[in-house]
Amino acid sequence: MHNKRLAVLNLYSNQFIGTFPNEIIIHLKLLQELLLHNNQFTGSIDNVLNITKNSRINSIDVSNNLFTGTIPEDIFYQPNLQSFLISSNCLHGPIPLSICNSRILQSYSMDGYSTAVNCRVPIFHGFLSYYFNGFTISNYLHGGIPTCLFELSTMQSLHLSGLGVDGNLPDNIVLSGNLSDLSLSHNVLTGTIPLIFQEKSWISLDLSYNKLTGTLSSMFNTSLNENQVFQMNYNLLSRFLSLQVNRLSGTVPSSLLTLTDISVLT
């Protein structure tokens, strides 16, 4: 690849297999977007980028591949990084605390970061595997979720589903004012839903498939601020709230019973 002025490298949704040849982009010093999702690339995620040479990168999407290894610590020192999506690969290890130093990170998604086909542990074997497709994973997120992720002032979309995260959501947690899309589903979260989660306005909130208990606040917020209305209209988004498959009790807040502009409520 000889076009050294290339700013966007878009290879998503092809049928590429094998190790990603990072020599393709090592000379692309002006590269801003790297889109490799929905392929079957293998190898260590560390080898995808040269952090020193690709210093202008602002968007990386390697989700739905077969990458292995741990999340690169130095990626979050990139001063221009706004979006980092690594869902559905064969990764392991913790979320690097260097993510707390991200300056303008807006979107971070690692849903099921170790659930790609190559790293699943099948439940059913023999002829049963033809009829059932159940599996477990061997690599769960270690070290928990750094609370700074919820506090990053620029964070808008945070997806941390299917990671095997357990424990409580802290009552004293701080949520960024810009955070409007949060998914923590398919984990093992226990305890009650902190009031700050219930009183904040969301475009999308998914806490389903956990072990959360308690009741919902009568002040459960269903309103949107002006910035969220703009985001919905600009990106053609729909509102989404899912609390299903938990251990909640009590009555449904009246604010949820009178919704008129939500697309999915489960």
Side-chain angles (χ1 to χ4, degrees):
M1 184 171 293
H2 302 290
N3 189 348
K4 296 182 179 181
R5 299 183 62 84
L6 192 69
V8 178
L9 181 57
N10 188 342
L11 302 176
Y12 76 89
S13 294
N14 283 283
Q15 297 180 3
F16 292 120
I17 60 175
T19 304
F20 177 72
N22 65 340
E23 62 270 15
I24 289 179
I25 62 174
I26 198 170
H27 300 297
L28 301 179
K29 296 183 179 181
L30 301 182
L31 187 67
Q32 297 178 28
E33 297 183 28
L34 179 63
L35 308 175
L36 305 179
H37 51 293
N38 299 331
N39 284 293
Q40 297 183 55
F41 285 121
T42 57
S44 174
I45 193 172
D46 277 321
N47 296 328
V48 175
L49 276 179
N50 185 305
I51 303 303
T52 303
K53 304 245 174 151
N54 304 119
S55 59
R56 298 196 181 189
I57 199 80
N58 62 51
S59 181
I60 300 171
D61 189 350
V62 297
S63 54
N64 296 307
N65 277 286
L66 303 172
F67 287 115
T68 57
T70 59
I71 303 171
E73 183 176 352
D74 54 358
I75 191 69
F76 300 110
Y77 290 111
Q78 288 281 43
N80 301 307
L81 187 65
Q82 298 180 30
S83 178
F84 188 56
L85 314 179
I86 57 173
S87 298
S88 190
N89 277 283
C90 288
L91 305 175
H92 66 275
I95 300 174
L97 290 180
S98 58
I99 197 171
C100 300
N101 300 314
S102 297
R103 299 178 183 177
I104 57 175
L105 188 63
Q106 299 177 9
S107 181
Y108 181 74
S109 176
M110 57 181 295
D111 292 338
Y113 82 146
S114 186
T115 59
V117 174
N118 280 16
C119 48
R120 294 176 182 176
V121 180
I123 297 175
F124 302 101
H125 302 274
F127 77 94
L128 288 176
S129 62
Y130 292 98
Y131 301 97
F132 304 100
N133 191 27
F135 67 90
T136 61
I137 58 176
S138 57
N139 292 322
Y140 293 98
L141 178 67
H142 297 290
I145 302 171
T147 55
C148 69
L149 267 176
F150 301 96
E151 304 173 12
L152 290 176
S153 61
T154 56
M155 186 69 75
Q156 298 178 12
S157 178
L158 180 59
H159 282 218
L160 304 167
S161 296
L163 301 174
V165 177
D166 57 12
N168 296 358
L169 294 171
D171 288 327
N172 60 349
I173 197 169
V174 176
L175 298 178
S176 167
N178 285 317
L179 184 61
S180 59
D181 173 17
L182 175 65
S183 180
L184 297 172
S185 69
H186 293 86
N187 284 299
V188 201
L189 296 173
T190 55
T192 60
I193 303 175
L195 280 177
I196 190 170
F197 280 83
Q198 302 188 49
E199 296 177 353
K200 179 178 173 58
S201 57
W202 300 95
I203 292 177
S204 179
L205 175 64
D206 190 354
L207 302 178
S208 62
Y209 293 91
N210 280 286
K211 296 181 179 180
L212 297 169
T213 58
T215 60
L216 297 181
S217 169
S218 60
M219 303 298 292
F220 201 102
N221 193 352
T222 59
S223 63
L224 292 174
N225 59 44
E226 291 184 4
N227 183 52
Q228 291 171 332
V229 172
F230 174 80
Q231 286 185 54
M232 288 188 65
N233 293 335
Y234 184 80
N235 297 303
L236 300 178
L237 300 175
S238 298
R239 295 189 71 185
F240 181 90
L241 172 64
S242 182
L243 304 175
Q244 66 180 329
V245 192
N246 277 288
R247 298 173 182 177
L248 301 173
S249 57
T251 58
V252 178
S254 59
S255 58
L256 296 179
L257 297 175
T258 56
L259 286 172
T260 60
D261 59 347
I262 192 165
S263 300
V264 180
L265 174 62
T266 59

